[in-house]
Amino acid sequence: MSGVDVVNQAYADGLAAGQLLLQRCGDCGRHQFYPRIACSHCTGSKLTWVRAAGGGQIASFTVVRRGVSADFTAPYVVALVDLDEGVRMMTHIIDADPEQLEIGMPVALDFQQVAIAPGRQPVFRPAAP
Amino acid sequence: MLSLSDIAIVGSYETRLGVVPDRGPMALGVEATLGAIADAGLEPAEVDGLITCNSLVAPVMYHAEATAEYAGMAPGHCLSVGTGGGTTFTALRYAAAAIQTGLAHTVVVSMADSMRSFMTRERAMVVQSSSGHPLYEQPYGPTVPAYYALIAQAHMDAFGTTESQFAEAMVSSRAWASLNPSAQYREQVSVEDVLASKPIADPLKLLDCSIVSDGGAAVVLTRLDRARDLPHTPVMLRGYGEGHHYEHISQASSLIASAAADSGRAALEQAGLHVRDIGLAQLYDCFSPALLIQLEDLGFCAKGEGGDYLASGATRPGGQLAVNTHGGMLSHCHPGNPGAMFGLTEAIRQYRGGAGERQLHDLEHTLLHAQGGIMSSHATLILGRPQ
Ligand SMILES: [Zn+2]
């Protein structure tokens, strides 16, 4: 296998450098995640990479009590987080008491090794008040 | 060209289901195919179209063609569909379209799988959760119950829906399943039983989740004028709609409202019906929140009131709307991709008057709904009697 998807590779390179990269559209000005070859809002192709500022809030979450495989040690929190840039991503919430989590709670970006991914992935923790 | 309402379902068959360790997915699929053709009073050589759903347990590259070969058939048209859930009725719609346009005269839609006996539980968890995005979702270890838990949590936050209200889905399902000798699980449960069952992905417990089964089912479609010579009173296709807003849950524009609203509206409009005309709703109850949100989005209750609607007993035997009279995927049979087929074969049984203790009386219009992904891809089908 020799193929490398340029869009996904650029995102992975960002992660390796400790950055969460989003795409911003030069035509409509909106951000998107996950990365694509065209803007999912307007189909524009003038996409540039921007570094996520790191703020967001919980759109929904669940405490997984039975892990998907032996690679994952339950319980763990799978969440959808809305970034301040207007995109949503799946992630983990770390360093939090699951009982204290709620939808709308502000969270802050961090990076952590997760079970089956090759390198550190974006995760979130409750934002400092 | 014929219209959709000229197309009839004339044959229907369910294999043994639940735990079937002595027949793999291909054997079950062939049994269903030949069974449905015999039920229709036809010979295999009279079938010129075969549409099958690939198996998750033992996928093959040319599934419909392999099914035909195993069955000793040589239909002029074969089509294998790869995905689950909503594809069931999508396949049925394409079968009808093939007949409408004259591409084929008589088409079998057949689906079977063996998630229970031919795949380990561990492997099944991984295979099913692989609907998540491989790069941007799966690294976080979401299970299929976790995807639906995200939806349930958002619904609770938006509308005050409670865990007890979600639990009512299984209470209703088991009340119906207790009347169905072929259901895999028939023991009635209470809300307390559901709440006390093992936590899976908060707020969902084991009894908020559908079961894991073996089984297959098939139906035969042809045009009404041919159907009149066949042994069973035909069941007619009246309306169909689809809706697709996203595939991956992280891309959903809304976690609490789905494209079931689009598919339901389109199907009812084509049938010239209102939701109050529906006497039987066979919905896709893979998880309790999926059932609750479908009841809302299809218009059986207002948005946000699904919890109250379920808790009122509306969907149980004797309630205002018969829902999943066979027991649904929560109790009857859920072998993987083919789950919605049993909602269809049960509806046909209800029209034929063979549903025993759970037989509905004066059934006119049935709404069937299936969805794939995580409340992602929706298909709604309306059935009725010949006019
Ligand atoms: Zn754009």
Side-chain angles (χ1 to χ4, degrees), chain A residues 3 6-7 12 15 24 28-29 45 49 51 58 72 74 78 83 103 109 115-116 119 124:
Chain A
V6 169
V7 167
L15 283 186
R24 186 175 180 280
C28 73
S45 57
W49 294 99
R51 185 176 175 175
I58 295 176
F72 290 87
V78 170
L83 300 189
I103 288 174
L109 175 66
I116 57 171
F124 289 79

PDB file of all heavy atoms in Angstrom, chain A residues 3 6-7 12 15 24 28-29 45 49 51 58 72 74 78 83 103 109 115-116 119 124:
ATOM      1  N   GLY A   3      -0.684   4.495  -0.965  1.00  0.00           N
ATOM      2  CA  GLY A   3      -1.512   5.695  -1.027  1.00  0.00           C
ATOM      3  C   GLY A   3      -1.558   6.432   0.306  1.00  0.00           C
ATOM      4  O   GLY A   3      -1.603   5.801   1.354  1.00  0.00           O
ATOM      5  N   VAL A   6      -4.099  12.958   1.240  1.00  0.00           N
ATOM      6  CA  VAL A   6      -3.412  14.199   1.626  1.00  0.00           C
ATOM      7  C   VAL A   6      -4.167  14.939   2.729  1.00  0.00           C
ATOM      8  O   VAL A   6      -3.567  15.472   3.664  1.00  0.00           O
ATOM      9  CB  VAL A   6      -3.205  15.102   0.384  1.00  0.00           C
ATOM     10  CG1 VAL A   6      -2.739  16.480   0.804  1.00  0.00           C
ATOM     11  CG2 VAL A   6      -2.199  14.467  -0.560  1.00  0.00           C
ATOM     12  N   VAL A   7      -5.492  14.970   2.622  1.00  0.00           N
ATOM     13  CA  VAL A   7      -6.290  15.716   3.598  1.00  0.00           C
ATOM     14  C   VAL A   7      -6.163  15.089   4.982  1.00  0.00           C
ATOM     15  O   VAL A   7      -5.906  15.778   5.974  1.00  0.00           O
ATOM     16  CB  VAL A   7      -7.763  15.765   3.143  1.00  0.00           C
ATOM     17  CG1 VAL A   7      -8.648  16.257   4.277  1.00  0.00           C
ATOM     18  CG2 VAL A   7      -7.909  16.661   1.932  1.00  0.00           C
ATOM     19  N   ALA A  12      -3.387  14.566  10.448  1.00  0.00           N
ATOM     20  CA  ALA A  12      -2.565  13.718  11.316  1.00  0.00           C
ATOM     21  C   ALA A  12      -1.232  14.390  11.634  1.00  0.00           C
ATOM     22  O   ALA A  12      -0.736  14.308  12.762  1.00  0.00           O
ATOM     23  CB  ALA A  12      -2.342  12.359  10.659  1.00  0.00           C
ATOM     24  N   LEU A  15      -1.821  16.819  14.388  1.00  0.00           N
ATOM     25  CA  LEU A  15      -1.887  16.145  15.690  1.00  0.00           C
ATOM     26  C   LEU A  15      -0.485  15.809  16.191  1.00  0.00           C
ATOM     27  O   LEU A  15      -0.181  15.991  17.374  1.00  0.00           O
ATOM     28  CB  LEU A  15      -2.699  14.858  15.583  1.00  0.00           C
ATOM     29  CG  LEU A  15      -4.220  14.956  15.536  1.00  0.00           C
ATOM     30  CD1 LEU A  15      -4.818  13.562  15.582  1.00  0.00           C
ATOM     31  CD2 LEU A  15      -4.754  15.822  16.672  1.00  0.00           C
ATOM     32  N   ARG A  24     -10.921  25.900   7.227  1.00  0.00           N
ATOM     33  CA  ARG A  24     -11.749  27.086   7.076  1.00  0.00           C
ATOM     34  C   ARG A  24     -11.904  27.365   5.588  1.00  0.00           C
ATOM     35  O   ARG A  24     -10.953  27.276   4.812  1.00  0.00           O
ATOM     36  CB  ARG A  24     -11.106  28.291   7.761  1.00  0.00           C
ATOM     37  CG  ARG A  24     -11.983  29.525   7.771  1.00  0.00           C
ATOM     38  CD  ARG A  24     -11.345  30.658   8.580  1.00  0.00           C
ATOM     39  NE  ARG A  24     -12.207  31.832   8.574  1.00  0.00           N
ATOM     40  CZ  ARG A  24     -12.271  32.704   7.566  1.00  0.00           C
ATOM     41  NH1 ARG A  24     -11.517  32.541   6.485  1.00  0.00           N
ATOM     42  NH2 ARG A  24     -13.097  33.738   7.638  1.00  0.00           N
ATOM     43  N   CYS A  28     -16.969  30.718   1.968  1.00  0.00           N
ATOM     44  CA  CYS A  28     -18.082  31.061   2.864  1.00  0.00           C
ATOM     45  C   CYS A  28     -17.610  31.419   4.270  1.00  0.00           C
ATOM     46  O   CYS A  28     -18.401  31.861   5.101  1.00  0.00           O
ATOM     47  CB  CYS A  28     -19.130  29.947   2.905  1.00  0.00           C
ATOM     48  SG  CYS A  28     -18.607  28.478   3.827  1.00  0.00           S
ATOM     49  N   GLY A  29     -16.332  31.194   4.543  1.00  0.00           N
ATOM     50  CA  GLY A  29     -15.790  31.610   5.830  1.00  0.00           C
ATOM     51  C   GLY A  29     -16.071  30.668   6.982  1.00  0.00           C
ATOM     52  O   GLY A  29     -15.675  30.934   8.113  1.00  0.00           O
ATOM     53  N   SER A  45     -13.628  25.045  -2.668  1.00  0.00           N
ATOM     54  CA  SER A  45     -12.416  24.245  -2.515  1.00  0.00           C
ATOM     55  C   SER A  45     -11.238  25.062  -1.986  1.00  0.00           C
ATOM     56  O   SER A  45     -10.128  24.552  -1.862  1.00  0.00           O
ATOM     57  CB  SER A  45     -12.045  23.598  -3.853  1.00  0.00           C
ATOM     58  OG  SER A  45     -11.877  24.598  -4.835  1.00  0.00           O
ATOM     59  N   TRP A  49      -6.004  25.471   6.491  1.00  0.00           N
ATOM     60  CA  TRP A  49      -5.948  24.841   7.813  1.00  0.00           C
ATOM     61  C   TRP A  49      -5.794  25.924   8.869  1.00  0.00           C
ATOM     62  O   TRP A  49      -4.956  26.806   8.718  1.00  0.00           O
ATOM     63  CB  TRP A  49      -4.769  23.870   7.887  1.00  0.00           C
ATOM     64  CG  TRP A  49      -4.927  22.687   6.976  1.00  0.00           C
ATOM     65  CD1 TRP A  49      -4.375  22.522   5.749  1.00  0.00           C
ATOM     66  CD2 TRP A  49      -5.690  21.513   7.241  1.00  0.00           C
ATOM     67  NE1 TRP A  49      -4.748  21.303   5.216  1.00  0.00           N
ATOM     68  CE2 TRP A  49      -5.559  20.659   6.123  1.00  0.00           C
ATOM     69  CE3 TRP A  49      -6.493  21.070   8.313  1.00  0.00           C
ATOM     70  CZ2 TRP A  49      -6.182  19.416   6.028  1.00  0.00           C
ATOM     71  CZ3 TRP A  49      -7.111  19.838   8.227  1.00  0.00           C
ATOM     72  CH2 TRP A  49      -6.951  19.020   7.086  1.00  0.00           C
ATOM     73  N   ARG A  51      -5.699  26.463  13.289  1.00  0.00           N
ATOM     74  CA  ARG A  51      -5.538  25.757  14.553  1.00  0.00           C
ATOM     75  C   ARG A  51      -6.736  26.061  15.452  1.00  0.00           C
ATOM     76  O   ARG A  51      -7.066  27.237  15.665  1.00  0.00           O
ATOM     77  CB  ARG A  51      -4.234  26.223  15.204  1.00  0.00           C
ATOM     78  CG  ARG A  51      -3.882  25.494  16.456  1.00  0.00           C
ATOM     79  CD  ARG A  51      -2.526  25.982  16.945  1.00  0.00           C
ATOM     80  NE  ARG A  51      -2.221  25.383  18.228  1.00  0.00           N
ATOM     81  CZ  ARG A  51      -1.072  25.543  18.873  1.00  0.00           C
ATOM     82  NH1 ARG A  51      -0.133  26.299  18.339  1.00  0.00           N
ATOM     83  NH2 ARG A  51      -0.873  24.970  20.043  1.00  0.00           N
ATOM     84  N   ILE A  58     -19.954  20.697  25.743  1.00  0.00           N
ATOM     85  CA  ILE A  58     -20.475  19.344  25.529  1.00  0.00           C
ATOM     86  C   ILE A  58     -21.841  19.412  24.859  1.00  0.00           C
ATOM     87  O   ILE A  58     -22.765  20.053  25.372  1.00  0.00           O
ATOM     88  CB  ILE A  58     -20.574  18.588  26.870  1.00  0.00           C
ATOM     89  CG1 ILE A  58     -19.169  18.386  27.463  1.00  0.00           C
ATOM     90  CG2 ILE A  58     -21.267  17.249  26.675  1.00  0.00           C
ATOM     91  CD1 ILE A  58     -19.178  17.730  28.841  1.00  0.00           C
ATOM     92  N   PHE A  72     -10.225  -1.168  25.165  1.00  0.00           N
ATOM     93  CA  PHE A  72     -10.781  -0.039  25.904  1.00  0.00           C
ATOM     94  C   PHE A  72     -11.190  -0.499  27.301  1.00  0.00           C
ATOM     95  O   PHE A  72     -11.895  -1.500  27.444  1.00  0.00           O
ATOM     96  CB  PHE A  72     -12.002   0.525  25.173  1.00  0.00           C
ATOM     97  CG  PHE A  72     -11.655   1.225  23.897  1.00  0.00           C
ATOM     98  CD1 PHE A  72     -11.561   0.504  22.705  1.00  0.00           C
ATOM     99  CD2 PHE A  72     -11.405   2.593  23.874  1.00  0.00           C
ATOM    100  CE1 PHE A  72     -11.225   1.144  21.523  1.00  0.00           C
ATOM    101  CE2 PHE A  72     -11.074   3.231  22.698  1.00  0.00           C
ATOM    102  CZ  PHE A  72     -10.981   2.514  21.520  1.00  0.00           C
ATOM    103  N   ALA A  74     -13.424   0.115  30.331  1.00  0.00           N
ATOM    104  CA  ALA A  74     -14.606   0.828  30.790  1.00  0.00           C
ATOM    105  C   ALA A  74     -14.501   1.058  32.298  1.00  0.00           C
ATOM    106  O   ALA A  74     -13.848   0.259  32.998  1.00  0.00           O
ATOM    107  CB  ALA A  74     -15.847   0.021  30.453  1.00  0.00           C
ATOM    108  N   VAL A  78     -17.546   8.909  26.215  1.00  0.00           N
ATOM    109  CA  VAL A  78     -17.591   9.301  24.808  1.00  0.00           C
ATOM    110  C   VAL A  78     -18.522  10.501  24.708  1.00  0.00           C
ATOM    111  O   VAL A  78     -19.632  10.473  25.252  1.00  0.00           O
ATOM    112  CB  VAL A  78     -18.106   8.155  23.919  1.00  0.00           C
ATOM    113  CG1 VAL A  78     -18.379   8.646  22.503  1.00  0.00           C
ATOM    114  CG2 VAL A  78     -17.093   7.012  23.896  1.00  0.00           C
ATOM    115  N   LEU A  83     -17.068  22.800  19.156  1.00  0.00           N
ATOM    116  CA  LEU A  83     -15.959  23.745  19.319  1.00  0.00           C
ATOM    117  C   LEU A  83     -16.461  25.171  19.094  1.00  0.00           C
ATOM    118  O   LEU A  83     -17.456  25.398  18.397  1.00  0.00           O
ATOM    119  CB  LEU A  83     -14.849  23.439  18.303  1.00  0.00           C
ATOM    120  CG  LEU A  83     -14.210  22.057  18.371  1.00  0.00           C
ATOM    121  CD1 LEU A  83     -12.994  22.008  17.454  1.00  0.00           C
ATOM    122  CD2 LEU A  83     -13.823  21.699  19.790  1.00  0.00           C
ATOM    123  N   ILE A 103     -24.730  18.434  29.582  1.00  0.00           N
ATOM    124  CA  ILE A 103     -24.763  19.049  28.257  1.00  0.00           C
ATOM    125  C   ILE A 103     -24.656  20.564  28.424  1.00  0.00           C
ATOM    126  O   ILE A 103     -25.301  21.147  29.297  1.00  0.00           O
ATOM    127  CB  ILE A 103     -26.051  18.628  27.516  1.00  0.00           C
ATOM    128  CG1 ILE A 103     -25.939  17.145  27.116  1.00  0.00           C
ATOM    129  CG2 ILE A 103     -26.300  19.513  26.294  1.00  0.00           C
ATOM    130  CD1 ILE A 103     -27.185  16.556  26.502  1.00  0.00           C
ATOM    131  N   LEU A 109      -9.570  21.833  25.291  1.00  0.00           N
ATOM    132  CA  LEU A 109      -8.833  20.843  24.500  1.00  0.00           C
ATOM    133  C   LEU A 109      -7.572  20.356  25.208  1.00  0.00           C
ATOM    134  O   LEU A 109      -6.859  21.133  25.831  1.00  0.00           O
ATOM    135  CB  LEU A 109      -8.454  21.487  23.159  1.00  0.00           C
ATOM    136  CG  LEU A 109      -7.580  20.686  22.197  1.00  0.00           C
ATOM    137  CD1 LEU A 109      -8.329  19.454  21.699  1.00  0.00           C
ATOM    138  CD2 LEU A 109      -7.172  21.567  21.013  1.00  0.00           C
ATOM    139  N   ALA A 115      -6.908   4.437  22.950  1.00  0.00           N
ATOM    140  CA  ALA A 115      -6.558   3.028  22.818  1.00  0.00           C
ATOM    141  C   ALA A 115      -6.009   2.607  21.459  1.00  0.00           C
ATOM    142  O   ALA A 115      -4.934   2.037  21.383  1.00  0.00           O
ATOM    143  CB  ALA A 115      -7.768   2.182  23.168  1.00  0.00           C
ATOM    144  N   ILE A 116      -6.760   2.866  20.393  1.00  0.00           N
ATOM    145  CA  ILE A 116      -6.415   2.206  19.141  1.00  0.00           C
ATOM    146  C   ILE A 116      -5.876   3.156  18.085  1.00  0.00           C
ATOM    147  O   ILE A 116      -5.633   2.762  16.958  1.00  0.00           O
ATOM    148  CB  ILE A 116      -7.634   1.443  18.569  1.00  0.00           C
ATOM    149  CG1 ILE A 116      -8.821   2.379  18.377  1.00  0.00           C
ATOM    150  CG2 ILE A 116      -7.993   0.276  19.471  1.00  0.00           C
ATOM    151  CD1 ILE A 116      -9.979   1.744  17.629  1.00  0.00           C
ATOM    152  N   GLY A 119      -1.456   7.837  17.391  1.00  0.00           N
ATOM    153  CA  GLY A 119      -0.766   8.850  18.190  1.00  0.00           C
ATOM    154  C   GLY A 119      -1.749   9.525  19.124  1.00  0.00           C
ATOM    155  O   GLY A 119      -2.863   9.046  19.306  1.00  0.00           O
ATOM    156  N   PHE A 124     -10.967  16.242  25.649  1.00  0.00           N
ATOM    157  CA  PHE A 124     -11.365  17.477  26.336  1.00  0.00           C
ATOM    158  C   PHE A 124     -11.504  17.206  27.826  1.00  0.00           C
ATOM    159  O   PHE A 124     -11.779  16.083  28.249  1.00  0.00           O
ATOM    160  CB  PHE A 124     -12.685  18.011  25.750  1.00  0.00           C
ATOM    161  CG  PHE A 124     -12.521  18.561  24.357  1.00  0.00           C
ATOM    162  CD1 PHE A 124     -12.459  17.698  23.259  1.00  0.00           C
ATOM    163  CD2 PHE A 124     -12.382  19.922  24.139  1.00  0.00           C
ATOM    164  CE1 PHE A 124     -12.280  18.194  21.967  1.00  0.00           C
ATOM    165  CE2 PHE A 124     -12.201  20.425  22.860  1.00  0.00           C
ATOM    166  CZ  PHE A 124     -12.147  19.567  21.765  1.00  0.00           C
TER     167      PHE A 124
END
